Amino acid sequence: MEFTLLKEDSSSKARLGKLKTAHSEFETPIFMPVGTRAAVKTLTSKQLHALEAQIILGNTYHLMLKPGAEIIEKAGGLHKFMNWDKSILTDSGGFQVFSLSSLNRVTDQGVHFQSHIDGSSHFLGPRESMAIQKSLGSDIVMAFDECPPYPCSRIQLEESLVRTEKWARVCRDYTLHPNQNLFGIVQGGIEADLRRESAKSLVSMDFDGYAIGGVSVGEPEELMYQAVEASIPFLPKEKPRYLMGVGTPKNMIEAVMRGIDLFDCVMPTRNARNGMAFTWDGKVQIKAARYKEDFSPLDPHLDNEVSSYSKAYIRHLLNVDEITGLTLVTMQNLSFYLDLMKKIRQAIENNTIDELYKKIVSLYPN
Amino acid sequence: MEFTLLKEDSSSKARLGKLKTAHSEFETPIFMPVGTRAAVKTLTSKQLHALEAQIILGNTYHLMLKPGAEIIEKAGGLHKFMNWDKSILTDSGGFQVFSLSSLNRVTDQGVHFQSHIDGSSHFLGPRESMAIQKSLGSDIVMAFDECPPYPCSRIQLEESLVRTEKWARVCRDYTLHPNQNLFGIVQGGIEADLRRESAKSLVSMDFDGYAIGGVSVGEPEELMYQAVEASIPFLPKEKPRYLMGVGTPKNMIEAVMRGIDLFDCVMPTRNARNGMAFTWDGKVQIKAARYKEDFSPLDPHLDNEVSSYSKAYIRHLLNVDEITGLTLVTMQNLSFYLDLMKKIRQAIENNTIDELYKKIVSLYPN
């Protein structure tokens, strides 16, 4: 992997970069559509290509349970299995074993848990997570971390951080495929000093990139920005930075202006399936009666496949539970998120990020 | 509409034809994917284009209830509403008011019924059906008919036929758009003399094409073929013939060999959503454990978008309820049905229909 810093914004900490993996080369800041179970929900890989997605995310926790890492390895890795030839980042499973599964026991070696699907028993620790992500063959591998809830006591945060740092070292010492890259994950909750300590400790281990984790777990927006601010100064400029699971359009530009390069979030795909469309005219609740006879496209400012359809048509599809409707709104939302990132990159290039910030916040105040 | 008979098979009644509507020109026999509620389930119109579909079917009954014909008319017709620029055939709603709705009362003017969606009251007769299909702007409009159940007494069949013929005349006398074409529907159940009478009576009214209706309603396969055989000799060679709602691969080639040109059926799309794939190796129940590590494509004999994915992957998607899996199997099944028709056309061209018949029956005995 090569990461090149192309430009730093003068009025904020925003950065324009270029990331090159074994599978694709793209500029940052960028958004990664979420393909939890080896598919970005409702879309084929051809449709993802048409949206010009460059890197997507897969979830270790879900994939280890179904279909199982060994099957994906036999298929020749996740890229081949899901027919996606651009980049893939896989998370470590850490977040999900703490949030989705029935926890049995956390030890220094990892987590005993029961599958949320069928209650079967599994164990996932740093070695297991690395072995699985090696089987998946992702371009960017995430270190196995403990993700504390919010709120969380100082004592718990400290204990958790010790474990996360220990696990990070195990991950770093694990031999992945030569083309794979490993990111460390900064934890520390909302405690600035713990974030700093975590960042410093990880940087001393020398990862290929750094993520800020343990955010987007229910904390107020401001505390999330503070966690980013507390971590960023201690991360090396020449490595990419990824804010995990964030967020709204406003969250993302706020984070970009604090120095973040990579994002993922289920919001565009999940909200699509509830009939909420992100557009350059703001949110559109497409099932609303007001769109019954609105024959204009969902987003007149975007020239994508969805532009060929009217709001009235998409509303009809969702109201009669036609799957095609979910596909079209998903395409719109990812198209918007990817375009938002493109506009952010252009704004960094043109020194107009403040202007874009105002526009985004006026369209998406929350 | 222009229909040109290109070739008649020497060993059967199969015909090779060319049909030209205001929206597309294609060879027959052909299969029409079903787009009941203004979408072929799970697919976008771009995907339908990629499958090389030439004509699809829309359902008057469903569309009159949701979103309502007036909205589609305001959108500029069904083609524009659903972003489909090739041909569309709409059924008359007759079949559905008799099979789906709660019937209130059948009069000589039409049918009072209650919506299967919300119980609301509606009336549909020949004039109403023509008015709706005129609003939809379909290329091929079907006459409003009564579709008797199977089994059905002789007396009931006769009474029903009187009504269907009366309604056919009302439809024929209705002024559609100049580019629209009207097909009459032969009824008569499994009574050969009633089929003959119905065919003769409709032909005397001079429609643009003729359908055989009241089949695929639960009758044994052989009786369906007999109904076709009883009708075909009385239909003019120079007009297209459409067998409604049929069927399996075997049903279709049997019907082609009896002189049918057009088909529609929900089987390829509906079975896809249950995990059943039609392939040139026979049926594939893709959820089966045997495909867990089968990394070959669903159908190695077809070169379509689905060929880029493995059975193991598609199995995984269906097993974890990923919508993308439904989309891929739907694409496969329509690709197979359209290819089956292409092979039938080639076989008529090359005088090899008997050979193809044997192959299809060996793959799809039922």
Side-chain angles (χ1 to χ4, degrees), chain A residues 37-38 41 43 45-47 66-67 74 81 83 293 305 308-309 313 316 320 322 324, chain B residues 37-38 41 43 45 47 66-67 74 81 83 293 305 308-309 313 316 320 322 324:
Chain A
R37 301 184 293 194
K41 288 193 194 304
L43 301 185
S45 49
K46 193 171 178 176
Q47 287 171 325
K66 285 200 174 184
K74 279 186 192 166
F81 183 63
N83 185 32
E293 298 186 8
E305 191 183 327
S308 314
Y309 301 88
Y313 178 64
H316 159 66
V320 297
E322 281 288 342
T324 306
Chain B
R37 300 183 295 193
K41 287 192 195 306
L43 301 185
S45 48
Q47 288 171 324
K66 283 198 174 185
K74 279 185 190 165
F81 183 63
N83 186 31
E293 298 187 7
E305 192 182 326
S308 315
Y309 301 88
Y313 178 64
H316 160 67
V320 296
E322 281 287 342
T324 306

mmCIF file of all heavy atoms in Angstrom, chain A residues 37-38 41 43 45-47 66-67 74 81 83 293 305 308-309 313 316 320 322 324, chain B residues 37-38 41 43 45 47 66-67 74 81 83 293 305 308-309 313 316 320 322 324:
data_model
loop_
_atom_site.group_PDB
_atom_site.id
_atom_site.type_symbol
_atom_site.label_atom_id
_atom_site.label_comp_id
_atom_site.label_asym_id
_atom_site.label_seq_id
_atom_site.Cartn_x
_atom_site.Cartn_y
_atom_site.Cartn_z
ATOM 1 N N ARG A 37 -21.975 -8.839 4.645
ATOM 2 C CA ARG A 37 -21.969 -10.288 4.429
ATOM 3 C C ARG A 37 -21.580 -10.619 2.988
ATOM 4 O O ARG A 37 -22.211 -11.417 2.320
ATOM 5 C CB ARG A 37 -23.345 -10.857 4.779
ATOM 6 C CG ARG A 37 -23.696 -10.555 6.251
ATOM 7 C CD ARG A 37 -24.981 -11.175 6.686
ATOM 8 N NE ARG A 37 -26.126 -10.586 5.993
ATOM 9 C CZ ARG A 37 -27.379 -10.741 6.368
ATOM 10 N NH1 ARG A 37 -27.660 -11.462 7.441
ATOM 11 N NH2 ARG A 37 -28.362 -10.182 5.694
ATOM 12 N N ALA A 38 -20.530 -9.916 2.518
ATOM 13 C CA ALA A 38 -20.005 -10.145 1.167
ATOM 14 C C ALA A 38 -20.936 -9.632 0.082
ATOM 15 O O ALA A 38 -20.899 -10.109 -1.064
ATOM 16 C CB ALA A 38 -19.646 -11.607 0.945
ATOM 17 N N LYS A 41 -25.743 -4.347 0.466
ATOM 18 C CA LYS A 41 -27.137 -4.772 0.408
ATOM 19 C C LYS A 41 -27.898 -4.219 -0.802
ATOM 20 O O LYS A 41 -27.861 -3.035 -1.066
ATOM 21 C CB LYS A 41 -27.869 -4.399 1.701
ATOM 22 C CG LYS A 41 -27.425 -5.283 2.868
ATOM 23 C CD LYS A 41 -28.338 -5.156 4.069
ATOM 24 C CE LYS A 41 -27.671 -5.760 5.293
ATOM 25 N NZ LYS A 41 -27.268 -7.172 5.119
ATOM 26 N N LEU A 43 -27.301 -4.561 -3.920
ATOM 27 C CA LEU A 43 -26.548 -4.251 -5.141
ATOM 28 C C LEU A 43 -25.709 -5.431 -5.653
ATOM 29 O O LEU A 43 -25.218 -6.238 -4.872
ATOM 30 C CB LEU A 43 -25.628 -3.057 -4.916
ATOM 31 C CG LEU A 43 -26.284 -1.743 -4.497
ATOM 32 C CD1 LEU A 43 -25.237 -0.638 -4.450
ATOM 33 C CD2 LEU A 43 -27.419 -1.350 -5.437
ATOM 34 N N SER A 45 -22.160 -6.383 -7.887
ATOM 35 C CA SER A 45 -20.867 -5.695 -7.971
ATOM 36 C C SER A 45 -20.797 -4.821 -9.223
ATOM 37 O O SER A 45 -20.104 -3.802 -9.232
ATOM 38 C CB SER A 45 -19.704 -6.681 -7.881
ATOM 39 O OG SER A 45 -19.869 -7.752 -8.732
ATOM 40 N N LYS A 46 -21.553 -5.184 -10.243
ATOM 41 C CA LYS A 46 -21.601 -4.343 -11.441
ATOM 42 C C LYS A 46 -22.206 -2.967 -11.105
ATOM 43 O O LYS A 46 -21.727 -1.925 -11.572
ATOM 44 C CB LYS A 46 -22.429 -5.036 -12.521
ATOM 45 C CG LYS A 46 -22.310 -4.435 -13.891
ATOM 46 C CD LYS A 46 -22.984 -5.323 -14.923
ATOM 47 C CE LYS A 46 -22.908 -4.681 -16.294
ATOM 48 N NZ LYS A 46 -23.489 -5.580 -17.326
ATOM 49 N N GLN A 47 -23.237 -2.988 -10.280
ATOM 50 C CA GLN A 47 -23.863 -1.724 -9.871
ATOM 51 C C GLN A 47 -22.923 -0.902 -8.989
ATOM 52 O O GLN A 47 -22.873 0.317 -9.094
ATOM 53 C CB GLN A 47 -25.193 -2.005 -9.154
ATOM 54 C CG GLN A 47 -26.283 -2.467 -10.117
ATOM 55 C CD GLN A 47 -27.540 -2.969 -9.429
ATOM 56 O OE1 GLN A 47 -27.474 -3.577 -8.371
ATOM 57 N NE2 GLN A 47 -28.688 -2.733 -10.039
ATOM 58 N N LYS A 66 -20.976 -17.018 8.687
ATOM 59 C CA LYS A 66 -21.558 -17.463 7.425
ATOM 60 C C LYS A 66 -20.942 -16.699 6.284
ATOM 61 O O LYS A 66 -21.015 -15.484 6.305
ATOM 62 C CB LYS A 66 -23.096 -17.250 7.428
ATOM 63 C CG LYS A 66 -23.810 -18.281 8.276
ATOM 64 C CD LYS A 66 -25.267 -18.382 7.889
ATOM 65 C CE LYS A 66 -25.908 -19.543 8.656
ATOM 66 N NZ LYS A 66 -27.289 -19.783 8.272
ATOM 67 N N PRO A 67 -20.356 -17.302 5.286
ATOM 68 C CA PRO A 67 -20.307 -18.756 5.067
ATOM 69 C C PRO A 67 -19.167 -19.437 5.806
ATOM 70 O O PRO A 67 -19.046 -20.648 5.729
ATOM 71 C CB PRO A 67 -20.073 -18.846 3.557
ATOM 72 C CG PRO A 67 -19.236 -17.647 3.265
ATOM 73 C CD PRO A 67 -19.714 -16.571 4.194
ATOM 74 N N LYS A 74 -11.133 -20.856 0.250
ATOM 75 C CA LYS A 74 -11.143 -21.829 -0.849
ATOM 76 C C LYS A 74 -11.584 -21.181 -2.161
ATOM 77 O O LYS A 74 -11.171 -21.596 -3.242
ATOM 78 C CB LYS A 74 -12.085 -22.995 -0.518
ATOM 79 C CG LYS A 74 -11.445 -24.039 0.388
ATOM 80 C CD LYS A 74 -12.359 -25.243 0.573
ATOM 81 C CE LYS A 74 -11.839 -26.128 1.696
ATOM 82 N NZ LYS A 74 -12.844 -27.118 2.134
ATOM 83 N N PHE A 81 -14.564 -14.296 -4.229
ATOM 84 C CA PHE A 81 -15.837 -14.853 -3.758
ATOM 85 C C PHE A 81 -16.999 -13.943 -4.129
ATOM 86 O O PHE A 81 -18.021 -14.385 -4.628
ATOM 87 C CB PHE A 81 -15.770 -15.061 -2.242
ATOM 88 C CG PHE A 81 -16.996 -15.693 -1.643
ATOM 89 C CD1 PHE A 81 -17.371 -16.988 -2.002
ATOM 90 C CD2 PHE A 81 -17.766 -15.021 -0.693
ATOM 91 C CE1 PHE A 81 -18.497 -17.591 -1.435
ATOM 92 C CE2 PHE A 81 -18.892 -15.615 -0.133
ATOM 93 C CZ PHE A 81 -19.253 -16.894 -0.500
ATOM 94 N N ASN A 83 -16.823 -11.352 -6.282
ATOM 95 C CA ASN A 83 -16.690 -10.767 -7.617
ATOM 96 C C ASN A 83 -16.503 -9.255 -7.566
ATOM 97 O O ASN A 83 -17.170 -8.501 -8.268
ATOM 98 C CB ASN A 83 -17.913 -11.155 -8.475
ATOM 99 C CG ASN A 83 -17.806 -10.702 -9.913
ATOM 100 O OD1 ASN A 83 -16.702 -10.644 -10.466
ATOM 101 N ND2 ASN A 83 -18.931 -10.367 -10.510
ATOM 102 N N GLU A 293 -47.177 12.427 -7.245
ATOM 103 C CA GLU A 293 -47.207 12.838 -8.652
ATOM 104 C C GLU A 293 -45.995 13.697 -8.977
ATOM 105 O O GLU A 293 -46.049 14.556 -9.861
ATOM 106 C CB GLU A 293 -48.506 13.601 -8.956
ATOM 107 C CG GLU A 293 -49.718 12.724 -8.735
ATOM 108 C CD GLU A 293 -51.024 13.375 -9.165
ATOM 109 O OE1 GLU A 293 -50.979 14.463 -9.778
ATOM 110 O OE2 GLU A 293 -52.086 12.783 -8.912
ATOM 111 N N GLU A 305 -27.628 6.451 -12.476
ATOM 112 C CA GLU A 305 -28.668 5.590 -13.054
ATOM 113 C C GLU A 305 -30.043 5.938 -12.491
ATOM 114 O O GLU A 305 -31.060 5.854 -13.194
ATOM 115 C CB GLU A 305 -28.325 4.120 -12.769
ATOM 116 C CG GLU A 305 -29.193 3.155 -13.555
ATOM 117 C CD GLU A 305 -28.906 1.693 -13.228
ATOM 118 O OE1 GLU A 305 -27.734 1.359 -12.934
ATOM 119 O OE2 GLU A 305 -29.851 0.890 -13.269
ATOM 120 N N SER A 308 -32.765 8.370 -14.039
ATOM 121 C CA SER A 308 -33.706 7.983 -15.097
ATOM 122 C C SER A 308 -35.090 7.657 -14.549
ATOM 123 O O SER A 308 -36.013 7.391 -15.311
ATOM 124 C CB SER A 308 -33.196 6.757 -15.849
ATOM 125 O OG SER A 308 -31.841 6.886 -16.168
ATOM 126 N N TYR A 309 -35.222 7.636 -13.231
ATOM 127 C CA TYR A 309 -36.504 7.293 -12.616
ATOM 128 C C TYR A 309 -37.056 8.500 -11.863
ATOM 129 O O TYR A 309 -36.294 9.340 -11.392
ATOM 130 C CB TYR A 309 -36.331 6.138 -11.633
ATOM 131 C CG TYR A 309 -35.790 4.871 -12.248
ATOM 132 C CD1 TYR A 309 -34.416 4.649 -12.351
ATOM 133 C CD2 TYR A 309 -36.654 3.891 -12.739
ATOM 134 C CE1 TYR A 309 -33.917 3.484 -12.916
ATOM 135 C CE2 TYR A 309 -36.163 2.722 -13.297
ATOM 136 C CZ TYR A 309 -34.797 2.528 -13.382
ATOM 137 O OH TYR A 309 -34.304 1.385 -13.944
ATOM 138 N N TYR A 313 -42.284 7.205 -9.210
ATOM 139 C CA TYR A 313 -42.070 5.782 -9.489
ATOM 140 C C TYR A 313 -41.406 5.084 -8.307
ATOM 141 O O TYR A 313 -41.850 4.027 -7.858
ATOM 142 C CB TYR A 313 -41.208 5.624 -10.742
ATOM 143 C CG TYR A 313 -40.904 4.176 -11.077
ATOM 144 C CD1 TYR A 313 -41.932 3.296 -11.415
ATOM 145 C CD2 TYR A 313 -39.598 3.695 -11.047
ATOM 146 C CE1 TYR A 313 -41.661 1.971 -11.723
ATOM 147 C CE2 TYR A 313 -39.317 2.368 -11.358
ATOM 148 C CZ TYR A 313 -40.357 1.511 -11.692
ATOM 149 O OH TYR A 313 -40.087 0.198 -11.984
ATOM 150 N N HIS A 316 -43.789 4.673 -5.530
ATOM 151 C CA HIS A 316 -44.697 3.554 -5.816
ATOM 152 C C HIS A 316 -44.032 2.217 -5.486
ATOM 153 O O HIS A 316 -44.615 1.364 -4.802
ATOM 154 C CB HIS A 316 -45.113 3.614 -7.293
ATOM 155 C CG HIS A 316 -45.616 2.313 -7.835
ATOM 156 N ND1 HIS A 316 -46.792 1.728 -7.399
ATOM 157 C CD2 HIS A 316 -45.092 1.448 -8.744
ATOM 158 C CE1 HIS A 316 -46.975 0.567 -8.035
ATOM 159 N NE2 HIS A 316 -45.960 0.377 -8.850
ATOM 160 N N VAL A 320 -45.328 -0.526 -2.567
ATOM 161 C CA VAL A 320 -45.851 -1.870 -2.832
ATOM 162 C C VAL A 320 -44.784 -2.931 -2.548
ATOM 163 O O VAL A 320 -44.911 -4.077 -2.973
ATOM 164 C CB VAL A 320 -46.416 -2.017 -4.267
ATOM 165 C CG1 VAL A 320 -47.611 -1.086 -4.453
ATOM 166 C CG2 VAL A 320 -45.352 -1.745 -5.330
ATOM 167 N N GLU A 322 -41.722 -3.408 -3.611
ATOM 168 C CA GLU A 322 -40.933 -3.963 -4.708
ATOM 169 C C GLU A 322 -39.451 -3.763 -4.388
ATOM 170 O O GLU A 322 -39.002 -2.633 -4.150
ATOM 171 C CB GLU A 322 -41.288 -3.268 -6.031
ATOM 172 C CG GLU A 322 -42.562 -3.760 -6.676
ATOM 173 C CD GLU A 322 -42.458 -5.158 -7.284
ATOM 174 O OE1 GLU A 322 -41.328 -5.652 -7.518
ATOM 175 O OE2 GLU A 322 -43.520 -5.758 -7.518
ATOM 176 N N THR A 324 -36.945 -3.696 -6.225
ATOM 177 C CA THR A 324 -36.278 -2.761 -7.132
ATOM 178 C C THR A 324 -36.208 -1.357 -6.520
ATOM 179 O O THR A 324 -35.237 -0.631 -6.734
ATOM 180 C CB THR A 324 -37.022 -2.712 -8.489
ATOM 181 O OG1 THR A 324 -37.135 -4.052 -8.986
ATOM 182 C CG2 THR A 324 -36.302 -1.846 -9.501
ATOM 183 N N ARG B 37 -46.155 -4.980 -11.102
ATOM 184 C CA ARG B 37 -46.433 -3.670 -10.506
ATOM 185 C C ARG B 37 -45.448 -2.635 -11.012
ATOM 186 O O ARG B 37 -44.887 -1.856 -10.256
ATOM 187 C CB ARG B 37 -46.391 -3.798 -8.984
ATOM 188 C CG ARG B 37 -47.445 -4.807 -8.497
ATOM 189 C CD ARG B 37 -47.495 -4.933 -7.000
ATOM 190 N NE ARG B 37 -46.283 -5.487 -6.433
ATOM 191 C CZ ARG B 37 -46.161 -5.921 -5.185
ATOM 192 N NH1 ARG B 37 -47.211 -5.871 -4.389
ATOM 193 N NH2 ARG B 37 -45.028 -6.391 -4.731
ATOM 194 N N ALA B 38 -45.215 -2.668 -12.333
ATOM 195 C CA ALA B 38 -44.327 -1.706 -12.993
ATOM 196 C C ALA B 38 -42.860 -1.944 -12.667
ATOM 197 O O ALA B 38 -42.046 -1.025 -12.746
ATOM 198 C CB ALA B 38 -44.739 -0.259 -12.697
ATOM 199 N N LYS B 41 -39.666 -8.046 -10.795
ATOM 200 C CA LYS B 41 -39.216 -8.119 -9.400
ATOM 201 C C LYS B 41 -37.705 -8.288 -9.260
ATOM 202 O O LYS B 41 -37.115 -9.149 -9.879
ATOM 203 C CB LYS B 41 -39.935 -9.249 -8.656
ATOM 204 C CG LYS B 41 -41.383 -8.891 -8.356
ATOM 205 C CD LYS B 41 -42.039 -9.854 -7.371
ATOM 206 C CE LYS B 41 -43.548 -9.688 -7.401
ATOM 207 N NZ LYS B 41 -44.022 -8.319 -7.180
ATOM 208 N N LEU B 43 -35.330 -6.407 -10.316
ATOM 209 C CA LEU B 43 -34.464 -5.869 -11.364
ATOM 210 C C LEU B 43 -34.725 -4.397 -11.671
ATOM 211 O O LEU B 43 -35.848 -3.917 -11.567
ATOM 212 C CB LEU B 43 -34.633 -6.675 -12.655
ATOM 213 C CG LEU B 43 -34.328 -8.178 -12.586
ATOM 214 C CD1 LEU B 43 -34.428 -8.783 -13.977
ATOM 215 C CD2 LEU B 43 -32.954 -8.448 -11.989
ATOM 216 N N SER B 45 -34.457 -1.461 -14.814
ATOM 217 C CA SER B 45 -34.666 -1.590 -16.262
ATOM 218 C C SER B 45 -33.326 -1.735 -16.990
ATOM 219 O O SER B 45 -33.259 -2.358 -18.048
ATOM 220 C CB SER B 45 -35.501 -0.445 -16.812
ATOM 221 O OG SER B 45 -35.035 0.783 -16.373
ATOM 222 N N GLN B 47 -30.874 -3.573 -15.930
ATOM 223 C CA GLN B 47 -30.591 -5.012 -15.866
ATOM 224 C C GLN B 47 -31.459 -5.793 -16.853
ATOM 225 O O GLN B 47 -31.004 -6.749 -17.478
ATOM 226 C CB GLN B 47 -30.794 -5.521 -14.430
ATOM 227 C CG GLN B 47 -29.691 -5.040 -13.486
ATOM 228 C CD GLN B 47 -29.977 -5.338 -12.031
ATOM 229 O OE1 GLN B 47 -31.114 -5.276 -11.576
ATOM 230 N NE2 GLN B 47 -28.926 -5.642 -11.271
ATOM 231 N N LYS B 66 -52.645 0.327 -7.411
ATOM 232 C CA LYS B 66 -51.465 1.077 -6.990
ATOM 233 C C LYS B 66 -50.465 1.157 -8.105
ATOM 234 O O LYS B 66 -50.055 0.115 -8.588
ATOM 235 C CB LYS B 66 -50.822 0.409 -5.757
ATOM 236 C CG LYS B 66 -51.587 0.693 -4.494
ATOM 237 C CD LYS B 66 -50.745 0.432 -3.270
ATOM 238 C CE LYS B 66 -51.527 0.869 -2.027
ATOM 239 N NZ LYS B 66 -50.772 0.778 -0.808
ATOM 240 N N PRO B 67 -50.037 2.295 -8.550
ATOM 241 C CA PRO B 67 -50.323 3.624 -8.003
ATOM 242 C C PRO B 67 -51.623 4.222 -8.517
ATOM 243 O O PRO B 67 -51.989 5.311 -8.079
ATOM 244 C CB PRO B 67 -49.142 4.446 -8.508
ATOM 245 C CG PRO B 67 -48.835 3.847 -9.843
ATOM 246 C CD PRO B 67 -49.106 2.376 -9.687
ATOM 247 N N LYS B 74 -50.380 10.456 -16.074
ATOM 248 C CA LYS B 74 -49.724 11.755 -15.874
ATOM 249 C C LYS B 74 -48.217 11.670 -16.074
ATOM 250 O O LYS B 74 -47.570 12.633 -16.475
ATOM 251 C CB LYS B 74 -50.017 12.291 -14.463
ATOM 252 C CG LYS B 74 -51.377 12.960 -14.342
ATOM 253 C CD LYS B 74 -51.564 13.579 -12.955
ATOM 254 C CE LYS B 74 -53.013 14.010 -12.768
ATOM 255 N NZ LYS B 74 -53.326 14.289 -11.355
ATOM 256 N N PHE B 81 -43.071 5.899 -17.028
ATOM 257 C CA PHE B 81 -43.169 5.754 -15.570
ATOM 258 C C PHE B 81 -42.112 4.787 -15.056
ATOM 259 O O PHE B 81 -41.419 5.062 -14.084
ATOM 260 C CB PHE B 81 -44.573 5.266 -15.197
ATOM 261 C CG PHE B 81 -44.820 5.141 -13.714
ATOM 262 C CD1 PHE B 81 -44.783 6.257 -12.891
ATOM 263 C CD2 PHE B 81 -45.116 3.908 -13.138
ATOM 264 C CE1 PHE B 81 -45.024 6.148 -11.518
ATOM 265 C CE2 PHE B 81 -45.356 3.792 -11.769
ATOM 266 C CZ PHE B 81 -45.306 4.916 -10.966
ATOM 267 N N ASN B 83 -39.474 3.661 -16.849
ATOM 268 C CA ASN B 83 -38.193 3.815 -17.530
ATOM 269 C C ASN B 83 -37.829 2.586 -18.361
ATOM 270 O O ASN B 83 -36.727 2.062 -18.283
ATOM 271 C CB ASN B 83 -37.098 4.124 -16.485
ATOM 272 C CG ASN B 83 -35.757 4.437 -17.114
ATOM 273 O OD1 ASN B 83 -35.687 4.982 -18.216
ATOM 274 N ND2 ASN B 83 -34.684 4.070 -16.432
ATOM 275 N N GLU B 293 -19.383 -25.451 -1.443
ATOM 276 C CA GLU B 293 -18.019 -25.175 -1.921
ATOM 277 C C GLU B 293 -17.927 -25.347 -3.432
ATOM 278 O O GLU B 293 -16.873 -25.694 -3.962
ATOM 279 C CB GLU B 293 -17.018 -26.086 -1.209
ATOM 280 C CG GLU B 293 -17.013 -25.850 0.294
ATOM 281 C CD GLU B 293 -15.917 -26.610 1.028
ATOM 282 O OE1 GLU B 293 -15.064 -27.232 0.358
ATOM 283 O OE2 GLU B 293 -15.910 -26.579 2.273
ATOM 284 N N GLU B 305 -24.288 -11.854 -16.835
ATOM 285 C CA GLU B 305 -23.656 -11.215 -15.674
ATOM 286 C C GLU B 305 -23.494 -12.197 -14.519
ATOM 287 O O GLU B 305 -22.520 -12.134 -13.760
ATOM 288 C CB GLU B 305 -24.500 -10.011 -15.241
ATOM 289 C CG GLU B 305 -23.794 -9.122 -14.232
ATOM 290 C CD GLU B 305 -24.670 -7.963 -13.768
ATOM 291 O OE1 GLU B 305 -25.471 -7.445 -14.571
ATOM 292 O OE2 GLU B 305 -24.549 -7.575 -12.588
ATOM 293 N N SER B 308 -20.325 -14.407 -13.594
ATOM 294 C CA SER B 308 -19.175 -13.912 -12.835
ATOM 295 C C SER B 308 -19.219 -14.329 -11.366
ATOM 296 O O SER B 308 -18.290 -14.061 -10.614
ATOM 297 C CB SER B 308 -19.126 -12.381 -12.891
ATOM 298 O OG SER B 308 -19.339 -11.925 -14.188
ATOM 299 N N TYR B 309 -20.326 -14.931 -10.948
ATOM 300 C CA TYR B 309 -20.476 -15.331 -9.542
ATOM 301 C C TYR B 309 -20.534 -16.860 -9.450
ATOM 302 O O TYR B 309 -20.965 -17.524 -10.396
ATOM 303 C CB TYR B 309 -21.762 -14.758 -8.955
ATOM 304 C CG TYR B 309 -21.842 -13.245 -8.997
ATOM 305 C CD1 TYR B 309 -22.367 -12.591 -10.107
ATOM 306 C CD2 TYR B 309 -21.394 -12.482 -7.927
ATOM 307 C CE1 TYR B 309 -22.444 -11.203 -10.153
ATOM 308 C CE2 TYR B 309 -21.470 -11.098 -7.966
ATOM 309 C CZ TYR B 309 -21.995 -10.462 -9.074
ATOM 310 O OH TYR B 309 -22.073 -9.100 -9.108
ATOM 311 N N TYR B 313 -21.230 -18.637 -3.763
ATOM 312 C CA TYR B 313 -21.526 -17.265 -3.370
ATOM 313 C C TYR B 313 -23.031 -17.002 -3.371
ATOM 314 O O TYR B 313 -23.580 -16.452 -2.406
ATOM 315 C CB TYR B 313 -20.821 -16.287 -4.314
ATOM 316 C CG TYR B 313 -21.103 -14.833 -4.004
ATOM 317 C CD1 TYR B 313 -20.699 -14.265 -2.804
ATOM 318 C CD2 TYR B 313 -21.792 -14.029 -4.912
ATOM 319 C CE1 TYR B 313 -20.962 -12.941 -2.514
ATOM 320 C CE2 TYR B 313 -22.057 -12.694 -4.631
ATOM 321 C CZ TYR B 313 -21.642 -12.155 -3.429
ATOM 322 O OH TYR B 313 -21.904 -10.840 -3.143
ATOM 323 N N HIS B 316 -24.632 -18.666 -0.508
ATOM 324 C CA HIS B 316 -24.394 -17.882 0.713
ATOM 325 C C HIS B 316 -25.370 -16.703 0.806
ATOM 326 O O HIS B 316 -26.009 -16.495 1.845
ATOM 327 C CB HIS B 316 -22.942 -17.395 0.732
ATOM 328 C CG HIS B 316 -22.694 -16.228 1.634
ATOM 329 N ND1 HIS B 316 -22.797 -16.315 3.004
ATOM 330 C CD2 HIS B 316 -22.385 -14.929 1.357
ATOM 331 C CE1 HIS B 316 -22.553 -15.130 3.532
ATOM 332 N NE2 HIS B 316 -22.302 -14.273 2.566
ATOM 333 N N VAL B 320 -28.266 -16.134 3.808
ATOM 334 C CA VAL B 320 -28.265 -15.053 4.803
ATOM 335 C C VAL B 320 -29.258 -13.948 4.414
ATOM 336 O O VAL B 320 -29.195 -12.836 4.935
ATOM 337 C CB VAL B 320 -26.852 -14.469 5.045
ATOM 338 C CG1 VAL B 320 -25.932 -15.524 5.638
ATOM 339 C CG2 VAL B 320 -26.241 -13.883 3.770
ATOM 340 N N GLU B 322 -29.664 -12.100 1.755
ATOM 341 C CA GLU B 322 -29.199 -10.893 1.074
ATOM 342 C C GLU B 322 -29.979 -10.738 -0.235
ATOM 343 O O GLU B 322 -30.008 -11.648 -1.074
ATOM 344 C CB GLU B 322 -27.695 -10.993 0.765
ATOM 345 C CG GLU B 322 -26.804 -10.703 1.959
ATOM 346 C CD GLU B 322 -26.764 -9.218 2.353
ATOM 347 O OE1 GLU B 322 -27.131 -8.362 1.549
ATOM 348 O OE2 GLU B 322 -26.356 -8.949 3.510
ATOM 349 N N THR B 324 -29.352 -9.176 -2.838
ATOM 350 C CA THR B 324 -28.524 -9.339 -4.039
ATOM 351 C C THR B 324 -28.635 -10.766 -4.599
ATOM 352 O O THR B 324 -28.600 -10.968 -5.813
ATOM 353 C CB THR B 324 -27.047 -9.012 -3.715
ATOM 354 O OG1 THR B 324 -26.995 -7.716 -3.120
ATOM 355 C CG2 THR B 324 -26.176 -9.039 -4.954
#
